[in-house]
Amino acid sequence: MPPSLDVPAVAAAPSAVSTMLRGLFRRSEIALLISLLVVIAFFALASDTFFTTRNLANVLGQSALALTAGIGVAIVFISGEVDVSVGSIVAAVAIPLVTVMNATGSLALGMASALALGFVVGSFNGYLAAYLGINSLIVTLGTLFILRGGVYLYTGQTAIPDDVMLESFFQIGNGRLLGVIPYPALIAFALLVAFAYLMRHRPFGRQVYATGGNPEVARLAGYNVRRLKFTCFVISGLLATVAGIMLASRLGSAVHVAGLGFEFQVVAAVVLGGISLAGGRGSLLGMALGVLILSFLSNGLGMLDLATEWQLVITGGIIIAAVAFDELKRRRI
Amino acid sequence: MQPELAANRTTEIDPPLALRGISKRFPGVVALEAVDLVLARGKIHALMGENGAGKSTLIKIMAGVYGKDAGTIRIDGQYVTLRSPRDALAQGIKVVFQEIALIPEFTVAENIFLERHPVDRAGSIDWPRIRADAAALFARIGFPVDTKARTGDLPVSQQQMVEIARALAHEARIVVMDEPTSSLTPTEVELLFKVIRRLTGLGIAVVYVTHKLDEVFEIADEVTVLRDGRHISTRPIGEHTHDSLIQHMIGRRIENLFPRSRSHAKGAVTLAVKNLSTKAKLHDVSFEARAGEVLGFFGLMGAGRTELAKAIVGYDPISSGTIEVDGTPLKPHDTRTGVRLGIGLLTEDRKGEGLMLDLPVQQNMSLAALGSFSRGGFVDEASERTAVQSFVDRFRVRTPSLAQLIKNLSGGNQQKVLLARWLMRGLKVIVVDEPTRGIDVGAKSEIFALLDRLAGDGLAIVMMTSEMPELLGLADRIAVLAEGRMTAMFDRDQATQEAILNAAIA
């Protein structure tokens, strides 16, 4: 079966028009897609420089980090847990990446050590949250602080430069397909398709949804709920690592302040994308649309010379409004 | 009957499920004592008994939720151990609980294959097959359900069908239905019965757990009655009459376990409820409760006891009728006025709605009366402690100190603290909902003595209960609820167990 971003578990038969309409109405992805198009259309009209290939491609490139990490965070949310540690993971994994590359001259070894650290952090979060049952918001908040502190201690509050300057490493964050589409956007898109397929069409994904939807029912159906949740945290740690590698490539070094506040950007996009904090609900497609809406919004507002302060206020307002709308709609139904 | 099963000689001799000598103990309680249950292929076996008789425990053992302490389980003559619900299902036993075990966000089709999603060769979920198989299963039980619908959008009656289809998907040969009609309309009940009969046509043995007599006479082939965790009788339904079944369910018990100290002197009408109805459950309930009396409400599961309790203290909305405390009307949701007028609820759900488990005894008890200890916006802790201590002494709450976390107290002592919470505030009417649920026998009589004394002190007590002995022991008058209606009102002296249960089953 070809990997598909198509979200419904059950495709509507042509005859069941009413079912399909009801499905569309309930699916927040449609509303998100319309919102995204409205945002793009608005800025295309309001600014001359917004709707250019170059700018649109740039926004895609910039959104790639949040998109990549957002997949993992979304999966953790769907399982009924929370992960806010990604901002520090992004910074922390750059250290083994750059230092190992500097020492060995090998991109592969550098990336392997970065992924190893991401795996360890994800496992740590997952073990405490899933197996010891400690509240995952607290656990990952703690991890967020610990890793950031560790990064500051290790680097002495400065950046570790990439001394070997491998072309392959440079290309990851800065290369463009056909000179247009940034590689990070391609990487993020490929991961999105793969994980959307995993969540929609593999038993693992459906078990994660079931676990978030009702852990007791999932347990009675014989799922290993703890292991499922643990795996979600590991996936999130690894995907945050991929985002960290792309960022390090773009920055050309391991920067101690990289990814500060990144976790909030990601969580905001995930929530805007219709993924419930309660678990069991939402889709990766919705998350991706949430990331794109926030990215285009921030880019467009910047082009209108609106101060960053106002961008923050507007973004915050939109997130609250979107989630409130979703909640009220659900109550009506 | 499937040919391969017919070829297997043992299935014709051995019952599909035979439970022998099943015993189960919980701390302080014997839930089941040497209970037998033997099913027959294609037959409907009703399991009856009052609340607390052991029905739920028995079916949870069949479902693999609980382990047994003693006894044997045989399926088609083979001894088995049921370690989990998944295990039980793999062995062919499916229990459809009242609390339906489905994922609301999933489609009907996906829920049927929750245990194991069918996959194609590449390991991808085979959605077309899931949909087709689901539709085929519904065709087999003769009840079409939209397999693409989101399960949470369906009424309970259809969710039950999803559970039944799930049983067939696993080729279950024993299906247990736990009080399946408690939230169904009469039409839905008819449809359910059709489906159940269809199951028997497929050779499935059905266990039908209920307390509704007319349903048993309509659908069951055989009836097993449990009482106080013991097996009382198993008979073909044809050998039972209405009265004989009730007789088996209640038996002859010692009455007046809780001798009263009070005379029957009653004061003025304190609580007057007229024509009360709610959207969900209650229809046209009217009664009065007087100062100094205990008015008991009896009802079986689903009769509307808790709904009534919450409605008359103003917690839940009502659709029509009036509630008056000392002549002043009480509006729904207006718990402030409720507290001011002096009506309070001792909830059946102590952990969910009553206690703050991680706070000490003192804070738990003084919660409702904090206003009376405050001076200039601050709580005067000395006077709070004095008041709490006086209640701890009066009610003999066994706690090492006032600072002890309430979760460390026994159920009986927790209940005393909650009772004290309301009385500290000053009450005229207290509604107690299943006051002895989860409380051991010794503490029960203490709670009764306490309620008895409070009535003696002039409080009007409205008690919701499903336990006959506590009703007969404590109540001055007994009202009976069935399906949200009041079906009888007895004075203490006229009430018999038979009459009460008859009214409750009506």
Side-chain angles (χ1 to χ4, degrees):
Chain A
M1 178 180 289
S4 161
L5 273 184
D6 193 9
V7 173
V10 179
S15 56
V17 176
S18 67
T19 312
M20 196 178 71
L21 285 178
R22 237 185 312 138
L24 284 186
F25 179 71
R26 185 158 44 221
R27 293 250 312 280
S28 50
E29 287 85 0
I30 298 298
L32 286 166
L33 185 62
I34 292 170
S35 313
L36 176 62
L37 294 177
V38 168
V39 168
I40 292 176
F42 173 78
F43 288 116
L45 294 173
S47 157
D48 301 334
T49 45
F50 177 81
F51 202 71
T52 58
T53 315
R54 195 188 148 138
N55 185 53
L56 295 182
N58 281 344
V59 177
L60 286 183
Q62 284 153 13
S63 61
L65 297 182
L67 205 53
T68 305
I71 296 169
V73 172
I75 292 174
V76 172
F77 273 44
I78 290 169
S79 81
E81 301 290 334
V82 174
D83 187 354
V84 295
S85 66
V86 294
S88 294
I89 296 179
V90 164
V93 297
I95 294 174
L97 173 72
V98 171
T99 50
V100 169
M101 271 198 306
N102 285 345
T104 64
S106 161
L107 172 64
L109 284 178
M111 293 209 298
S113 48
L115 287 168
L117 178 58
F119 178 83
V120 169
V121 175
S123 305
F124 177 77
N125 286 339
Y127 181 74
L128 293 180
Y131 286 98
L132 299 187
I134 301 170
N135 182 297
S136 55
L137 176 63
I138 306 303
V139 168
T140 56
L141 196 61
T143 312
L144 181 80
F145 282 109
I146 293 169
L147 286 179
R148 184 64 66 182
V151 169
Y152 289 165
L153 286 169
Y154 188 83
T155 59
Q157 304 261 33
T158 176
I160 302 175
D162 165 26
D163 295 330
V164 285
M165 306 259 203
L166 298 169
E167 176 61 17
S168 55
F169 178 55
F170 176 81
Q171 285 294 332
I172 290 175
N174 302 286
R176 283 173 187 247
L177 182 71
L178 306 172
V180 182
I181 304 172
Y183 284 156
L186 289 177
I187 295 170
F189 183 71
L191 288 170
L192 180 66
V193 170
F195 278 96
Y197 163 75
L198 175 80
M199 293 304 284
R200 223 7 109 175
H201 295 292
R202 301 295 288 201
F204 169 80
R206 306 310 300 160
Q207 292 179 1
V208 171
Y209 271 99
T211 297
N214 189 335
E216 185 58 16
V217 173
R219 195 181 65 79
L220 294 183
Y223 300 170
N224 189 335
V225 168
R226 289 174 172 182
R227 195 171 64 201
L228 282 167
K229 288 188 171 184
F230 174 83
T231 310
C232 293
F233 280 101
V234 171
I235 289 173
S236 181
L238 291 175
L239 287 170
T241 306
V242 175
I245 293 171
M246 295 192 290
L247 181 61
S249 163
R250 203 177 286 162
L251 299 172
S253 52
V255 180
H256 60 296
V257 291
L260 267 183
F262 179 62
E263 61 282 349
F264 294 116
Q265 228 180 304
V266 173
V267 168
V270 166
V271 171
L272 179 63
I275 290 176
S276 163
L277 271 165
R281 216 160 48 209
S283 72
L284 295 188
L285 176 62
M287 179 280 301
L289 291 168
V291 169
L292 291 177
I293 288 172
L294 291 184
S295 300
F296 277 110
L297 201 64
S298 138
N299 172 266
L301 291 172
M303 291 205 156
L304 297 184
D305 287 331
L306 205 62
T308 323
E309 291 87 333
W310 279 109
Q311 294 182 31
L312 289 175
V313 172
I314 291 171
T315 308
I318 285 176
I319 291 166
I320 294 176
V323 174
F325 175 76
D326 205 44
E327 182 59 37
L328 294 177
K329 190 180 74 178
R330 197 183 314 283
R331 265 184 232 170
R332 195 89 39 90
I333 294 173
Chain B
M1 194 185 294
Q2 291 168 5
E4 63 268 29
L5 288 180
N8 183 347
R9 293 272 95 197
T10 59
T11 57
E12 292 189 0
I13 311 158
D14 293 313
L17 180 69
L19 306 176
R20 299 272 182 202
I22 301 289
S23 296
K24 177 74 184 173
R25 284 170 192 79
F26 293 110
V29 201
V30 177
L32 290 174
E33 182 68 43
V35 169
D36 291 350
L37 183 69
V38 179
L39 305 183
R41 167 175 302 277
K43 298 287 184 205
I44 300 171
H45 196 122
L47 186 58
M48 297 199 75
E50 285 188 279
N51 296 355
K55 295 172 298 190
S56 307
T57 310
L58 188 60
I59 63 173
K60 279 184 176 157
I61 287 172
M62 286 189 243
V65 174
Y66 292 158
K68 55 185 165 42
D69 295 335
T72 61
I73 302 174
R74 275 188 292 174
I75 293 178
D76 294 333
Q78 307 292 316
Y79 288 96
V80 297
T81 309
L82 306 172
R83 290 181 190 84
S84 67
R86 189 189 172 99
D87 199 23
L89 192 54
Q91 312 257 23
I93 304 174
K94 169 71 184 175
V95 180
V96 180
F97 288 104
Q98 276 186 296
E99 197 76 26
I100 289 190
L102 298 170
I103 304 287
E105 291 290 324
F106 280 9
T107 64
V108 165
E110 185 172 7
N111 262 310
I112 291 176
F113 296 97
L114 202 59
E115 272 79 10
R116 201 167 50 83
H117 290 80
V119 292
D120 60 21
R121 231 172 281 158
S124 294
I125 294 172
D126 192 346
W127 293 114
R129 191 178 134 203
I130 286 181
R131 287 193 294 275
D133 287 0
L137 288 170
F138 285 118
R140 261 176 89 193
I141 62 174
F143 189 96
V145 175
D146 179 4
T147 57
K148 288 182 287 228
R150 182 180 164 277
T151 309
D153 293 343
L154 300 178
V156 175
S157 58
Q158 294 196 27
Q159 294 192 18
Q160 282 177 343
M161 296 303 163
V162 178
E163 286 272 54
I164 291 174
R166 203 170 153 198
L168 291 184
H170 288 270
E171 282 157 29
R173 283 164 308 125
I174 297 118
V175 172
V176 183
M177 306 289 302
D178 179 17
E179 305 266 3
T181 58
S182 56
S183 51
L184 264 50
T185 66
T187 327
E188 289 170 337
V189 171
E190 278 313 303
L191 286 170
L192 176 73
F193 282 4
K194 262 189 203 158
V195 169
I196 290 179
R197 290 200 183 95
R198 196 122 171 189
L199 293 181
T200 62
L202 297 170
I204 290 171
V206 177
V207 178
Y208 191 92
V209 182
T210 187
H211 54 248
K212 296 183 182 168
L213 281 185
D214 44 351
E215 288 181 0
V216 171
F217 282 105
E218 185 176 345
I219 197 163
D221 298 304
E222 243 187 331
V223 190
T224 287
V225 178
L226 301 184
R227 190 202 313 149
D228 300 329
R230 284 165 204 278
H231 179 267
I232 300 302
S233 65
T234 297
R235 286 187 189 176
I237 189 69
E239 291 178 18
H240 265 302
T241 62
H242 204 271
D243 290 344
S244 70
L245 209 41
I246 287 187
Q247 201 58 53
H248 284 206
M249 282 166 72
I250 56 180
R252 285 181 200 78
R253 264 189 307 236
I254 322 140
E255 292 178 21
N256 274 342
L257 284 173
F258 315 102
R260 287 172 302 174
S261 58
R262 284 169 298 129
S263 63
H264 281 34
K266 285 177 210 163
V269 171
T270 315
L271 173 70
V273 173
K274 286 196 192 89
N275 309 109
L276 178 82
S277 296
T278 64
K279 239 179 182 170
K281 196 86 196 185
L282 304 170
H283 299 283
D284 200 20
V285 175
S286 300
F287 64 90
E288 290 175 346
R290 294 170 178 275
E293 78 164 342
V294 176
L295 172 60
F297 272 88
F298 180 82
L300 296 165
M301 193 180 286
R305 297 183 313 262
T306 297
E307 290 84 353
L308 181 62
K310 287 188 173 178
I312 59 182
V313 295
Y315 285 8
D316 283 354
I318 61 176
S319 52
S320 64
T322 58
I323 303 160
E324 286 179 6
V325 179
D326 269 349
T328 315
L330 176 65
K331 294 268 187 309
H333 287 316
D334 190 0
T335 50
R336 267 180 81 90
T337 305
V339 169
R340 192 170 47 77
L341 291 175
I343 183 165
L345 171 69
L346 194 63
T347 172
E348 58 152 4
D349 181 10
R350 277 201 300 279
K351 293 204 164 73
E353 297 179 353
L355 300 168
M356 295 168 291
L357 289 170
D358 287 316
L359 287 183
V361 170
Q362 179 167 326
Q363 262 108 308
N364 268 289
M365 195 189 287
S366 63
L367 181 74
L370 270 187
S372 56
F373 306 125
S374 79
R375 265 204 310 230
F378 292 93
V379 173
D380 177 3
E381 220 190 304
S383 63
E384 181 193 355
R385 202 176 317 121
T386 313
V388 170
Q389 188 63 54
S390 77
F391 271 96
V392 165
D393 296 342
R394 246 179 84 198
F395 286 6
R396 284 184 291 181
V397 179
R398 272 178 288 278
T399 175
S401 81
L402 301 186
Q404 175 67 266
L405 299 187
I406 193 104
K407 67 178 173 192
N408 297 331
L409 267 54
S410 70
N413 285 305
Q414 290 177 347
Q415 196 68 304
K416 291 183 197 168
V417 171
L418 284 179
L419 208 49
R421 176 191 290 174
W422 288 114
L423 296 171
M424 194 180 275
R425 171 82 208 207
L427 274 192
K428 291 185 184 123
V429 186
I430 187 152
V431 181
V432 295
D433 191 7
E434 298 285 359
T436 60
R437 173 167 296 178
I439 289 175
D440 62 57
V441 182
K444 269 186 188 180
S445 40
E446 270 193 82
I447 297 286
F448 286 124
L450 198 53
L451 289 173
D452 187 53
R453 208 171 76 203
L454 292 171
D457 291 347
L459 211 65
I461 297 179
V462 180
M463 177 173 72
M464 309 292 168
T465 181
S466 56
E467 306 220 4
M468 199 69 86
E470 79 185 37
L471 187 75
L472 292 168
L474 198 63
D476 298 298
R477 287 186 302 147
I478 292 166
V480 182
L481 283 177
E483 312 258 318
R485 295 170 196 274
M486 234 175 81
T487 50
M489 174 73 91
F490 303 99
D491 270 336
R492 166 77 186 83
D493 309 330
Q494 311 158 350
T496 62
Q497 294 192 59
E498 286 81 357
I500 292 169
L501 201 55
N502 253 317
I505 285 169

